[in-house]
Coordinates of all heavy atoms in Angstrom, one line a residue:
M1349 N 241.6 -9.5 4.0 CA 241.8 -9.6 5.4 C 240.9 -8.7 6.3 O 240.4 -9.2 7.3 CB 243.3 -9.0 5.5 CG 243.8 -9.0 7.0 SD 244.4 -10.5 7.7 CE 245.7 -10.9 6.7
T1350 N 240.7 -7.5 5.8 CA 239.8 -6.6 6.8 C 238.4 -7.2 6.9 O 237.9 -7.1 8.0 CB 239.8 -5.3 6.2 OG1 239.4 -5.2 5.0 CG2 241.1 -4.6 6.4
R1351 N 237.9 -7.8 5.8 CA 236.5 -8.3 5.8 C 236.5 -9.5 6.7 O 235.6 -9.6 7.6 CB 236.1 -8.7 4.4 CG 234.6 -9.1 4.4 CD 234.1 -9.3 2.9 NE 234.9 -8.6 2.0 CZ 235.0 -9.0 0.6 NH1 234.5 -10.3 0.2 NH2 235.6 -8.2 -0.2
S1352 N 237.4 -10.4 6.7 CA 237.5 -11.6 7.5 C 237.7 -11.3 9.0 O 237.2 -12.1 9.8 CB 238.7 -12.6 7.0 OG 238.4 -12.9 5.6
L1353 N 238.3 -10.3 9.3 CA 238.7 -9.9 10.7 C 237.7 -8.8 11.2 O 237.8 -8.5 12.3 CB 240.1 -9.4 10.9 CG 241.2 -10.5 10.3 CD1 242.6 -9.7 10.5 CD2 241.1 -11.7 11.2
G1354 N 236.7 -8.5 10.5 CA 235.7 -7.5 10.9 C 236.3 -6.1 11.2 O 235.8 -5.4 12.1
R1355 N 237.2 -5.7 10.4 CA 237.9 -4.3 10.5 C 237.8 -3.6 9.4 O 237.7 -4.1 8.1 CB 239.4 -4.5 10.9 CG 239.6 -5.2 12.1 CD 239.5 -4.5 13.3 NE 238.1 -4.5 13.9 CZ 237.8 -4.0 15.0 NH1 238.6 -3.3 15.7 NH2 236.5 -4.0 15.4
S1356 N 238.0 -2.2 9.4 CA 238.0 -1.5 8.2 C 239.4 -1.4 7.9 O 240.3 -1.6 8.7 CB 237.5 0.0 8.6 OG 238.2 0.6 9.4
P1357 N 239.6 -1.1 6.6 CA 241.2 -1.0 6.1 C 242.0 -0.1 6.9 O 243.2 -0.4 6.9 CB 241.1 -0.5 4.7 CG 239.7 -0.9 4.3 CD 238.9 -0.8 5.6
D1358 N 241.5 1.0 7.6 CA 242.5 1.8 8.3 C 242.7 1.2 9.7 O 243.5 1.9 10.4 CB 241.9 3.2 8.5 CG 240.4 3.4 9.2 OD1 239.7 2.3 9.1 OD2 240.2 4.4 9.8
E1359 N 242.1 0.1 10.1 CA 242.4 -0.5 11.4 C 243.5 -1.6 11.3 O 243.9 -2.0 12.5 CB 241.1 -1.0 12.1 CG 240.1 0.2 12.4 CD 238.8 -0.3 12.9 OE1 238.1 -0.9 12.1 OE2 238.5 0.0 14.1
I1360 N 243.7 -2.2 10.2 CA 244.7 -3.2 10.0 C 245.6 -2.7 8.9 O 245.3 -2.3 7.9 CB 243.9 -4.6 9.3 CG1 242.9 -5.1 10.4 CG2 245.0 -5.6 9.2 CD1 243.4 -5.7 11.7
T1361 N 246.9 -2.9 9.4 CA 248.0 -2.5 8.5 C 248.7 -3.9 8.1 O 249.0 -4.6 9.0 CB 249.0 -1.5 9.2 OG1 248.3 -0.4 9.6 CG2 250.2 -1.2 8.2
V1362 N 248.9 -4.0 6.8 CA 249.7 -5.0 6.2 C 250.8 -4.4 5.4 O 250.6 -3.9 4.3 CB 248.8 -5.9 5.2 CG1 249.6 -7.1 4.7 CG2 247.5 -6.5 6.0
Q1363 N 252.0 -4.7 5.8 CA 253.1 -4.2 5.1 C 253.9 -5.5 4.4 O 254.1 -6.5 5.3 CB 254.1 -3.4 6.0 CG 253.5 -2.1 6.6 CD 254.4 -1.5 7.6 OE1 255.1 -2.1 8.3 NE2 254.4 -0.1 7.4
V1364 N 254.3 -5.2 3.3 CA 255.0 -6.3 2.5 C 256.3 -5.9 2.0 O 256.3 -4.9 1.2 CB 254.1 -7.0 1.5 CG1 254.9 -8.1 0.9 CG2 252.8 -7.4 1.9
T1365 N 257.5 -6.5 2.4 CA 258.7 -6.2 1.8 C 259.4 -7.4 1.6 O 259.8 -8.2 2.4 CB 259.5 -5.4 2.7 OG1 258.8 -4.2 3.3 CG2 261.0 -5.0 2.2
D1366 N 259.8 -7.6 0.3 CA 260.5 -8.7 -0.2 C 259.9 -10.2 0.2 O 260.5 -11.0 0.7 CB 261.9 -8.8 0.2 CG 262.7 -7.6 -0.3 OD1 262.4 -7.2 -1.5 OD2 263.6 -7.0 0.3
G1367 N 258.5 -10.2 0.2 CA 257.8 -11.4 0.7 C 257.6 -11.5 2.1 O 257.1 -12.5 2.7
R1368 N 258.1 -10.6 2.9 CA 257.9 -10.6 4.3 C 256.8 -9.7 4.8 O 256.8 -8.5 4.5 CB 259.2 -10.1 5.0 CG 260.4 -11.0 4.7 CD 261.6 -10.7 5.4 NE 262.8 -11.4 5.0 CZ 263.0 -12.6 5.1 NH1 262.2 -13.4 5.8 NH2 264.0 -13.2 4.6
V1369 N 255.8 -10.2 5.4 CA 254.6 -9.5 5.8 C 254.6 -9.1 7.3 O 255.0 -10.0 8.1 CB 253.4 -10.4 5.4 CG1 252.1 -9.7 6.0 CG2 253.2 -10.8 4.1
T1370 N 254.2 -7.8 7.7 CA 254.0 -7.5 8.9 C 252.7 -7.0 9.1 O 252.2 -6.1 8.3 CB 255.1 -6.3 9.3 OG1 256.4 -6.7 9.1 CG2 254.8 -5.8 10.7
L1371 N 252.0 -7.7 10.2 CA 250.6 -7.4 10.4 C 250.6 -6.6 11.7 O 251.1 -6.8 12.6 CB 249.7 -8.6 10.6 CG 249.7 -9.7 9.6 CD1 249.1 -10.8 10.1 CD2 249.0 -9.0 8.3
S1372 N 249.8 -5.4 11.7 CA 249.6 -4.7 12.9 C 248.1 -4.1 12.8 O 247.5 -3.9 12.0 CB 250.6 -3.6 13.0 OG 250.6 -2.7 11.9
G1373 N 247.8 -3.7 14.1 CA 246.4 -3.1 14.2 C 245.7 -3.9 15.3 O 246.1 -4.6 16.1
T1374 N 244.3 -3.7 15.3 CA 243.6 -4.3 16.4 C 242.4 -5.1 15.7 O 241.8 -4.7 14.7 CB 242.9 -3.3 17.4 OG1 242.0 -2.3 16.6 CG2 244.0 -2.6 18.1
V1375 N 242.0 -6.3 16.4 CA 241.0 -7.1 16.1 C 240.0 -7.1 17.1 O 240.4 -6.9 18.3 CB 241.4 -8.5 15.5 CG1 242.3 -8.4 14.3 CG2 242.2 -9.2 16.7
P1376 N 238.6 -7.4 16.9 CA 237.6 -7.4 17.9 C 237.9 -8.3 19.0 O 237.6 -8.2 20.1 CB 236.3 -7.6 17.2 CG 236.7 -7.9 15.8 CD 238.1 -7.6 15.6
Q1377 N 238.4 -9.6 18.6 CA 238.5 -10.8 19.5 C 240.0 -11.4 19.3 O 240.4 -11.5 18.3 CB 237.5 -11.7 19.4 CG 236.1 -11.2 19.5 CD 235.0 -12.1 19.0 OE1 235.2 -13.1 18.2 NE2 233.9 -12.0 19.6
E1378 N 240.5 -11.9 20.3 CA 241.9 -12.4 20.4 C 241.8 -13.7 19.5 O 242.8 -14.1 18.8 CB 242.3 -12.8 21.8 CG 243.8 -13.2 21.8 CD 244.3 -13.3 23.2 OE1 243.7 -12.8 24.2 OE2 245.3 -14.0 23.4
C1379 N 240.8 -14.5 19.5 CA 240.7 -15.7 18.7 C 240.7 -15.4 17.2 O 241.1 -16.4 16.4 CB 239.3 -16.4 19.0 SG 237.8 -15.5 18.4
L1380 N 240.7 -14.2 16.6 CA 240.9 -13.9 15.3 C 242.4 -13.8 14.9 O 242.8 -14.0 13.7 CB 240.2 -12.6 14.9 CG 238.7 -12.6 15.0 CD1 238.1 -11.2 14.7 CD2 238.1 -13.7 14.0
I1381 N 243.3 -13.5 15.8 CA 244.6 -13.4 15.5 C 245.2 -14.6 14.9 O 246.0 -14.6 14.0 CB 245.4 -12.9 16.9 CG1 245.0 -11.5 17.2 CG2 246.9 -12.9 16.5 CD1 245.4 -11.0 18.5
P1382 N 245.0 -15.8 15.4 CA 245.7 -17.0 14.9 C 245.0 -17.3 13.5 O 245.5 -18.1 12.8 CB 245.2 -18.2 15.9 CG 244.9 -17.5 17.1 CD 244.3 -16.1 16.7
I1383 N 243.9 -16.7 13.1 CA 243.3 -16.9 11.8 C 244.0 -15.9 10.7 O 244.4 -16.4 9.7 CB 241.9 -16.5 11.7 CG1 241.1 -17.5 12.6 CG2 241.4 -16.4 10.3 CD1 239.8 -17.0 12.9
A1384 N 244.5 -14.8 11.2 CA 245.2 -13.8 10.3 C 246.5 -14.2 9.8 O 246.9 -14.1 8.7 CB 245.3 -12.4 11.1
V1385 N 247.3 -14.8 10.7 CA 248.6 -15.3 10.3 C 248.5 -16.4 9.2 O 249.3 -16.1 8.1 CB 249.4 -15.7 11.5 CG1 250.8 -16.3 11.2 CG2 249.6 -14.5 12.5
P1386 N 247.9 -17.4 9.4 CA 247.8 -18.4 8.3 C 247.3 -17.9 7.0 O 247.7 -18.3 5.9 CB 246.9 -19.6 8.9 CG 246.9 -19.5 10.3 CD 247.2 -17.9 10.6
M1387 N 246.3 -16.9 7.1 CA 245.7 -16.3 5.9 C 246.8 -15.6 5.1 O 246.9 -15.8 3.9 CB 244.6 -15.4 6.3 CG 243.2 -15.9 6.4 SD 242.0 -14.8 7.1 CE 242.2 -13.3 6.0
S1388 N 247.7 -14.9 5.9 CA 248.8 -14.1 5.3 C 249.8 -15.2 4.6 O 250.3 -15.0 3.6 CB 249.5 -13.2 6.3 OG 248.5 -12.3 6.8
E1389 N 250.2 -16.3 5.4 CA 251.1 -17.1 5.0 C 250.7 -18.0 3.7 O 251.6 -18.3 3.0 CB 251.4 -18.3 6.0 CG 252.1 -17.6 7.3 CD 252.2 -18.5 8.5 OE1 251.2 -19.5 8.6 OE2 253.2 -18.5 9.2
S1390 N 249.4 -18.0 3.4 CA 248.8 -18.6 2.4 C 249.0 -18.0 1.0 O 248.7 -18.4 -0.2 CB 247.4 -19.2 2.5 OG 246.5 -18.1 2.5
V1391 N 249.3 -16.7 1.1 CA 249.4 -15.8 -0.2 C 250.8 -16.3 -0.9 O 251.8 -16.3 -0.2 CB 249.3 -14.3 0.2 CG1 249.6 -13.5 -1.1 CG2 248.1 -14.0 0.9
D1392 N 250.7 -16.5 -2.1 CA 251.9 -16.7 -3.0 C 252.9 -15.7 -2.8 O 252.6 -14.5 -2.8 CB 251.5 -16.9 -4.5 CG 250.7 -18.2 -4.8 OD1 250.8 -19.1 -4.1 OD2 250.1 -18.2 -5.8
G1393 N 254.1 -16.1 -2.7 CA 255.3 -15.2 -2.6 C 255.5 -14.8 -1.2 O 256.6 -14.2 -0.8
V1394 N 254.7 -15.1 -0.2 CA 255.0 -14.7 1.2 C 256.0 -15.7 1.8 O 255.7 -17.0 1.7 CB 253.7 -14.7 2.1 CG1 254.0 -14.5 3.6 CG2 252.8 -13.5 1.6
V1395 N 257.0 -15.2 2.4 CA 258.1 -16.1 3.0 C 258.0 -15.9 4.5 O 258.7 -16.9 5.2 CB 259.5 -15.8 2.4 CG1 259.5 -16.1 0.9 CG2 259.9 -14.4 2.6
D1396 N 257.5 -15.0 5.0 CA 257.5 -14.8 6.5 C 256.4 -13.9 7.0 O 256.2 -13.0 6.2 CB 258.8 -14.4 7.0 CG 259.0 -14.4 8.5 OD1 258.6 -15.3 9.2 OD2 259.5 -13.2 9.1
V1397 N 255.9 -14.1 8.2 CA 254.8 -13.2 8.7 C 255.2 -12.9 10.0 O 255.4 -13.7 10.8 CB 253.4 -13.8 8.6 CG1 252.4 -12.9 9.4 CG2 253.0 -14.3 7.2
T1398 N 255.3 -11.5 10.3 CA 255.5 -11.0 11.6 C 254.1 -10.5 12.1 O 253.4 -9.5 11.5 CB 256.5 -10.0 11.7 OG1 257.8 -10.6 11.2 CG2 256.7 -9.4 13.0
N1399 N 253.7 -10.9 13.4 CA 252.4 -10.6 13.8 C 252.5 -9.5 15.0 O 253.1 -9.8 16.1 CB 251.6 -11.8 14.4 CG 250.3 -11.4 15.0 OD1 249.7 -10.5 14.5 ND2 249.9 -12.2 15.9
H1400 N 251.9 -8.3 14.7 CA 251.8 -7.4 15.8 C 250.2 -6.9 16.0 O 249.9 -6.0 16.5 CB 252.5 -6.1 15.4 CG 254.0 -6.3 15.4 ND1 254.9 -6.5 16.4 CD2 254.9 -6.2 14.1 CE1 256.1 -6.6 16.1 NE2 256.1 -6.5 14.7
L1401 N 249.4 -7.9 15.7 CA 248.0 -7.6 16.0 C 247.7 -7.7 17.4 O 248.3 -8.6 18.1 CB 247.2 -8.6 15.1 CG 247.1 -8.5 13.7 CD1 246.4 -9.6 12.9 CD2 246.4 -7.2 13.1
R1402 N 246.7 -7.1 17.9 CA 246.4 -7.2 19.2 C 244.7 -7.1 19.3 O 244.2 -6.6 18.4 CB 246.9 -6.1 20.1 CG 246.6 -4.7 19.7 CD 247.4 -3.7 20.4 NE 246.8 -2.2 20.1 CZ 247.1 -1.6 19.0 NH1 247.8 -2.1 18.0 NH2 246.7 -0.5 18.9
A1403 N 244.2 -7.7 20.3 CA 242.8 -7.7 20.5 C 242.3 -6.5 21.3 O 243.1 -6.0 22.1 CB 242.5 -9.0 21.3
E1404 N 241.2 -6.0 20.9 CA 240.6 -4.9 21.6 C 240.2 -5.4 23.1 O 240.0 -6.4 23.3 CB 239.1 -4.5 21.0 CG 239.3 -3.8 19.7 CD 237.9 -3.4 19.3 OE1 237.0 -3.9 19.8 OE2 237.9 -2.7 18.3
T1405 N 240.6 -4.5 24.0 CA 240.2 -4.7 25.4 C 239.1 -3.9 25.8 O 238.6 -2.9 25.1 CB 241.3 -4.2 26.3 OG1 241.7 -2.9 26.1 CG2 242.5 -5.1 25.8
A1406 N 238.3 -4.2 26.8 CA 237.2 -3.5 27.3 C 237.7 -2.1 27.6 O 238.6 -1.8 28.0 CB 236.6 -4.1 28.6
G1407 N 236.8 -1.1 26.9 CA 237.0 0.2 27.0 C 237.9 0.9 25.9 O 238.1 2.1 25.8
T1408 N 238.4 -0.1 25.0 CA 239.2 0.5 23.9 C 238.2 1.0 22.9 O 237.4 0.1 22.3 CB 240.0 -0.6 23.4 OG1 241.0 -1.1 24.3 CG2 241.0 -0.2 22.2
P1409 N 238.3 2.3 22.5 CA 237.3 2.7 21.5 C 237.6 2.2 20.1 O 238.7 2.1 19.7 CB 237.4 4.2 21.5 CG 238.7 4.4 22.1 CD 239.1 3.2 23.0
R1410 N 236.5 1.8 19.4 CA 236.8 1.5 17.9 C 236.8 2.7 17.2 O 236.1 3.7 17.4 CB 235.6 0.6 17.4 CG 235.7 -0.8 17.9 CD 234.7 -1.6 17.3 NE 235.0 -1.8 15.8 CZ 234.2 -2.5 15.0 NH1 233.1 -3.1 15.5 NH2 234.6 -2.6 13.8
R1411 N 237.5 2.7 16.0 CA 237.5 4.1 15.2 C 236.4 4.0 14.3 O 235.8 3.1 13.9 CB 238.8 3.9 14.3 CG 240.0 4.1 15.0 CD 241.0 4.3 14.2 NE 242.3 3.6 14.6 CZ 243.4 3.5 13.9 NH1 243.4 4.1 12.8 NH2 244.5 2.8 14.3

């Protein structure tokens, strides 16, 4: 996930509980968010994905 979205592991959080995935953190471009959700949904055992990802805005510092 982090390689595909161009983020380091400390910038994207993926929490999984009973097959329910919650994504949070920032991605460099908004167009990457619709990619992250289907990637997560395609993992065996995932039953739901909640998306809290947001795109960086101008002036938002990268870690």
Side-chain angles (χ1 to χ4, degrees):
M1349 176 77 66
T1350 56
R1351 187 177 330 152
S1352 298
L1353 300 179
R1355 299 280 88 171
S1356 68
D1358 62 332
E1359 294 174 298
I1360 300 285
T1361 301
V1362 179
Q1363 295 177 317
V1364 181
T1365 305
D1366 297 326
R1368 299 182 192 290
V1369 175
T1370 301
L1371 302 173
S1372 58
T1374 58
V1375 294
Q1377 299 171 336
E1378 191 170 340
C1379 65
L1380 295 174
I1381 295 171
I1383 295 169
V1385 173
M1387 277 178 37
S1388 300
E1389 291 171 334
S1390 71
V1391 175
D1392 285 342
V1394 170
V1395 297
D1396 187 44
V1397 176
T1398 300
N1399 177 32
H1400 294 293
L1401 291 172
R1402 62 190 184 282
E1404 286 182 350
T1405 58
T1408 301
R1410 282 187 73 177
R1411 290 189 225 178

